[in-house]
Structures are given as structure tokens and as C-alpha cells.
Amino acid sequence: MSNDNPNMIPQRAIIDEPMYDSETGEYGKGYSPDNGKTRIIQEGVDGRHYHQDTDAGRISELVFDSFKLKSPDGTVWIVSIDNEGNLSKEKEES
């Protein structure tokens, strides 16, 4: 295949390849949406990784007994619900 445009930059898909995550530095299998500039891990040594920015649709389909939220000051809270629909929160001890 020839390319008549000398200014065109070759691109290749980077999907499901071993790499280090650009943000966390963690090693695993992931993808790059921008030809390797940004690398996003989807499978690490501790299992599947979900990302709030790119996986919101898939995350919202999951059902959990409880989940953790981090407040702006860095405090981590464990949030759950009882059989009557009342939310409960507990501060995670570090």
C-alpha cells in the first residue's frame, strides 16, 4: 500500500497489549486511544480495572453490596443500603 501524502503520520491500533498505565504506572493489558501517547490499563494483576471517564456505562450496569467514595479532602467512605432503602456510610480506617 503506497501513501502519496508525505505529511501523513502512520497510525496503528493499540488494543489489548501489555503496557504501563500513563496515570498510575501500573503494568497490565490495556489500550491507547491516541497511538501510544496515553495508555490505559484494563486488566491488571488484581483483575479488571474500570475507569470513571471511559467506562461509566458499564459501571452503572454492575450491582454491588457496597462501594467506596472519596471526599474532596481524601477521606474514603464505605456506602451501603439496608432492606428498607436507607443509606448508611462508614468512614474507612486507614
Side-chain angles (χ1 to χ4, degrees):
M1 181 170 144
S2 69
N3 182 359
D4 296 332
N5 182 351
N7 297 321
M8 186 172 191
I9 299 171
Q11 299 283 318
R12 78 176 183 92
I14 302 175
I15 302 168
D16 202 27
E17 292 189 16
M19 62 181 63
Y20 289 92
D21 190 285
S22 297
E23 189 173 312
T24 66
E26 183 177 0
Y27 183 76
K29 278 186 151 184
Y31 71 97
S32 175
D34 53 13
N35 200 33
K37 182 178 177 185
T38 305
R39 296 169 314 278
I40 301 169
I41 296 301
Q42 291 182 301
E43 299 287 340
V45 295
D46 57 350
R48 179 79 179 158
H49 291 216
Y50 291 96
H51 304 277
Q52 188 169 343
D53 297 340
T54 56
D55 295 328
R58 289 188 287 175
I59 293 170
S60 66
E61 295 173 4
L62 300 174
V63 177
F64 299 95
D65 294 328
S66 65
F67 57 95
K68 295 180 183 181
L69 295 173
K70 184 168 48 172
S71 63
D73 70 358
T75 304
V76 176
W77 296 91
I78 301 169
V79 180
S80 61
I81 192 166
D82 66 19
N83 290 332
E84 285 75 42
N86 300 311
L87 292 176
S88 64
K89 65 182 188 310
E90 179 181 330
K91 187 175 179 180
E92 182 176 71
E93 300 299 324
S94 47

